[in-house]
Amino acid sequence: MNTSKHIVTDDLVHASDALACELYNRKLYQASIDQNNITLQLVGNKHPSVLKNIANAYYFLKNPEKSEEIFKEYLDITGSTDKMDIRQYGQYLTRSGRIDEGFEYLLKNRSESNEFHLDMGWYLLKQGRFKESFIETEMGRNGAVWIGKKYPPNCPRLNKGNDIRGKKLCVIGEAGLGDEIIFSRWIRTLKERGAIVYYYTDNTLKNVITRTFEVLPHDLSVRYDYWLPTMSLPYLLEIEEPGTDAYLSPNPLYVAKWREKLKQYDNIIALNWTGDKDHMENGFRTIPIDYLVSKLKDKGTLVSICLGAETQPEGVIDLTKDIQSWDDTLAILSISNLCYTSCSSVVHAAGAIGTKTNLYDTVFGYFTWSDKKSGEKSR
């Protein structure tokens, strides 16, 4: 009688690995981990790339401790000193709340790479070492800009030391909406130093920023002297501190409109619990809204300004269908007694106009723009 035994073939390993990757790409992270473990059984050892894949999946399951544990196995096996591996392990340490360890690990494995300087910029922000952070971030960007599909005008990029008095500057909004809000505060300083400022963005913050700072919208017919991205502003202006004062203002016409719409309600509490659903890490910026509603339902009138939500909770007045622009959002925030929000652009918008705001972050997440302890005023 002939007997046969199962023989692992390369094809079987590759098929298992491919399935694990497909599950990961479909955001079925636990299933991807299970399939990767099957791959490890087939291979018969702790294969480095499979361990790395498992660590990545645990990361998106908001389990940074497990990510760090698995990734450390990967590093022990490979002895990798690759700058991206160092960066990834440091991120896992940071996201598990071990921020000082992540910082020390980064310093221990220092490299003169753009990634190192960008990460240093983040850690220094978290420590409240703002001027140093701005310098490190500028070194890390190394001339790169994060302006999406916006195109710089045909003129020189502004450098530190350039005379801007009387010069026409095209300031280009950079990175996400929250970043645009944060860095817009220094547009006023450009004006104070004598520049003629035009603001260029591709969203409705254009109306808020041009009105608040009394600058002009981008105009293709204008011959600019210089252009600059907003995230370079504090570096170019040699800013020491961002400050904690309000720096944006709502449009009075929109405030009047929303006061009329909500005149029958008292003690308005604005809620925002998630960000852009297409953002890779939005899961880390999402807070459990049903829990929050249960705690606040007797505290006032709950209204939703959460444009990224797929569904709206019971007991909350949904205002999102009538929000057409940032002028609407800022107006609602300005007449709200409180804002409860996750780490999204709304927290920066509320803070920028001086509305009392409580940020709720996931354990896994972090709020970069605060070196303060819980309950204190952030930047």
Side-chain angles (χ1 to χ4, degrees):
M1 179 178 177
N2 293 326
T3 60
S4 62
K5 61 181 180 179
H6 179 66
I7 299 175
V8 176
T9 67
D10 286 345
D11 288 344
L12 189 56
V13 172
H14 292 157
S16 179
D17 185 53
L19 177 56
C21 289
E22 180 183 346
L23 292 167
Y24 178 89
N25 290 333
R26 289 165 57 191
K27 299 184 179 180
L28 300 172
Y29 299 118
Q30 186 57 58
S32 177
I33 290 169
D34 295 341
Q35 191 63 46
N36 274 307
N37 282 324
I38 291 172
T39 305
L40 287 180
Q41 292 173 7
L42 293 172
V43 173
N45 58 49
K46 294 183 177 181
H47 194 280
S49 65
V50 179
L51 288 173
K52 199 175 195 179
N53 292 340
I54 293 172
N56 289 340
Y58 273 120
Y59 176 80
F60 284 102
L61 284 176
K62 302 182 186 178
N63 191 339
E65 292 87 356
K66 195 67 176 177
S67 292
E68 185 267 328
E69 175 189 327
I70 299 295
F71 204 79
K72 189 172 187 306
E73 288 186 53
Y74 160 78
L75 292 175
D76 289 342
I77 290 171
T78 62
S80 174
T81 57
D82 179 81
K83 63 185 180 183
M84 298 309 293
D85 285 344
I86 290 168
R87 190 181 203 198
Q88 191 166 346
Y89 185 65
Q91 184 178 49
Y92 292 157
L93 290 170
T94 297
R95 289 297 183 92
S96 62
R98 297 154 66 185
I99 296 176
D100 291 342
E101 284 186 57
F103 183 55
E104 292 302 321
Y105 178 77
L106 188 68
L107 288 175
K108 181 180 177 182
N109 294 278
R110 181 186 181 95
S111 65
E112 287 307 315
S113 64
N114 295 339
E115 292 79 10
F116 170 81
H117 291 294
L118 286 174
D119 288 343
M120 280 292 291
W122 182 86
Y123 283 108
L124 291 169
L125 267 185
K126 194 67 179 171
Q127 295 173 14
R129 297 160 62 182
F130 292 99
K131 185 175 182 179
E132 295 171 79
S133 171
F134 298 145
I135 293 171
E136 287 286 345
T137 300
E138 202 66 19
M139 291 174 67
R141 64 196 278 142
N142 193 26
V145 291
W146 304 303
I147 58 175
K149 296 180 180 180
K150 301 184 287 292
Y151 295 97
N154 186 23
C155 64
R157 181 169 172 172
L158 185 69
N159 291 315
K160 187 181 289 188
N162 287 141
D163 181 12
I164 62 172
R165 186 167 297 279
K167 304 296 184 181
K168 294 178 181 178
L169 305 185
C170 179
V171 180
I172 306 181
E174 196 170 14
L177 293 168
D179 297 303
E180 275 205 68
I181 292 169
I182 291 166
F183 287 90
S184 71
R185 71 183 81 192
W186 291 299
I187 290 173
R188 181 174 285 114
T189 306
L190 288 174
K191 286 192 63 184
E192 290 170 351
R193 297 187 185 181
I196 303 167
V197 180
Y198 294 75
Y199 190 71
Y200 177 16
T201 191
D202 52 8
N203 60 72
T204 62
L205 280 173
K206 174 183 69 176
N207 302 326
V208 175
I209 290 170
T210 54
R211 185 193 69 255
T212 297
F213 301 114
E214 298 181 322
V215 298
L216 298 164
H218 173 50
D219 186 341
L220 289 172
S221 68
V222 173
R223 296 187 64 178
Y224 296 109
D225 294 294
Y226 299 104
W227 72 272
L228 66 149
T230 49
M231 293 179 75
S232 288
L233 274 167
Y235 168 77
L236 292 170
L237 297 170
E238 298 185 293
I239 299 294
E240 297 280 348
E241 288 280 335
T244 56
D245 294 333
Y247 53 91
L248 289 183
S249 60
N251 187 323
L253 295 176
Y254 281 78
V255 173
K257 178 182 80 172
W258 281 100
R259 282 195 187 282
E260 179 63 24
K261 280 178 174 286
L262 300 174
K263 63 183 179 182
Q264 69 270 41
Y265 302 113
D266 296 319
N267 193 23
I268 295 170
I269 301 174
L271 302 180
N272 186 85
W273 56 93
T274 192
D276 181 357
K277 65 180 184 299
D278 295 324
H279 192 285
M280 179 184 295
E281 296 200 345
N282 191 50
F284 309 138
R285 302 178 178 185
T286 301
I287 56 176
I289 185 57
D290 291 335
Y291 172 81
L292 195 56
V293 170
S294 71
K295 296 296 182 183
L296 296 174
K297 61 184 179 180
D298 298 323
K299 304 294 185 182
T301 303
L302 307 183
V303 301
S304 169
I305 57 171
C306 193
L307 296 175
E310 295 182 0
T311 60
Q312 299 289 335
E314 291 185 13
V316 177
I317 300 170
D318 179 14
L319 302 183
T320 60
K321 59 183 179 297
D322 293 324
I323 295 176
Q324 302 298 319
S325 69
W326 273 103
D327 276 319
D328 286 307
T329 300
L330 291 184
I332 296 166
L333 287 169
S334 74
I335 63 175
S336 298
N337 290 45
L338 284 170
C339 174
Y340 285 82
T341 179
S342 62
C343 185
S344 66
S345 55
V346 169
V347 73
H348 301 299
I353 64 171
T355 296
K356 185 176 179 180
T357 306
N358 287 330
L359 167 70
Y360 277 79
D361 206 0
T362 62
V363 173
F364 189 81
Y366 58 82
F367 185 58
T368 310
W369 280 85
S370 181
D371 58 314
K372 304 298 183 183
K373 296 178 181 177
S374 178
E376 295 185 62
K377 196 170 183 180
S378 74
R379 309 301 174 131

